[in-house]
Amino acid sequence: MDIEFHFSEPQSTILSSRKRFKIVCAGRRFGKSWLAGAMILEQALDCPKSTIWYVAPTRNMAKKIMWDTWLNDNIPRAYIVEKNKLDMTIRFV
């Protein structure tokens, strides 16, 4: 199963960069969270048995920004082995 995402030119430049650290200075509605979610999913599928973190200033912010919106809506169920809502963890196939 392939997932198809559409990115703007600046988002594609960031996503295709092979740099280890990516620092983005962008305003509201740029799609930073969307891009981070896509990067999380890409890393999870490309690197089996890896641990990937999404970090925000608070647990509630991480939950609102990534867990409630992005991860629950954009990851196909076929890729998920186990999802723990309390710990906010997902184990992939």
Side-chain angles (χ1 to χ4, degrees), residues 38-56:
M39 292 169 76
I40 288 169
L41 183 57
E42 178 185 51
Q43 187 73 20
L45 297 175
D46 288 349
C47 302
K49 300 189 187 241
S50 62
T51 300
I52 299 136
W53 291 65
Y54 176 82
V55 179

Side-chain angles (χ1 to χ4, degrees), residues 27-92:
R28 291 179 47 133
R29 313 275 310 154
F30 174 84
K32 297 179 297 291
S33 299
W34 181 260
L35 188 59
M39 292 169 76
I40 288 169
L41 183 57
E42 178 185 51
Q43 187 73 20
L45 297 175
D46 288 349
C47 302
K49 300 189 187 241
S50 62
T51 300
I52 299 136
W53 291 65
Y54 176 82
V55 179
T58 67
R59 185 180 194 281
N60 280 342
M61 284 176 77
K63 187 174 188 306
K64 282 183 191 174
I65 294 168
M66 194 54 58
W67 182 262
D68 289 343
T69 16
W70 207 96
L71 293 176
N72 283 318
D73 293 342
N74 294 296
I75 298 177
R77 302 221 184 278
Y79 288 157
I80 299 172
V81 172
E82 179 183 351
K83 186 190 287 190
N84 186 322
K85 291 180 183 181
L86 186 63
D87 292 339
M88 292 191 296
T89 58
I90 298 174
R91 222 176 83 219
F92 289 90

Side-chain angles (χ1 to χ4, degrees), residues 10-11 13-15 21-27 30-32 35 39:
Q11 288 173 322
T13 301
I14 295 164
L15 189 61
F21 298 105
K22 297 173 175 110
I23 299 169
V24 178
C25 181
F30 174 84
K32 297 179 297 291
L35 188 59
M39 292 169 76

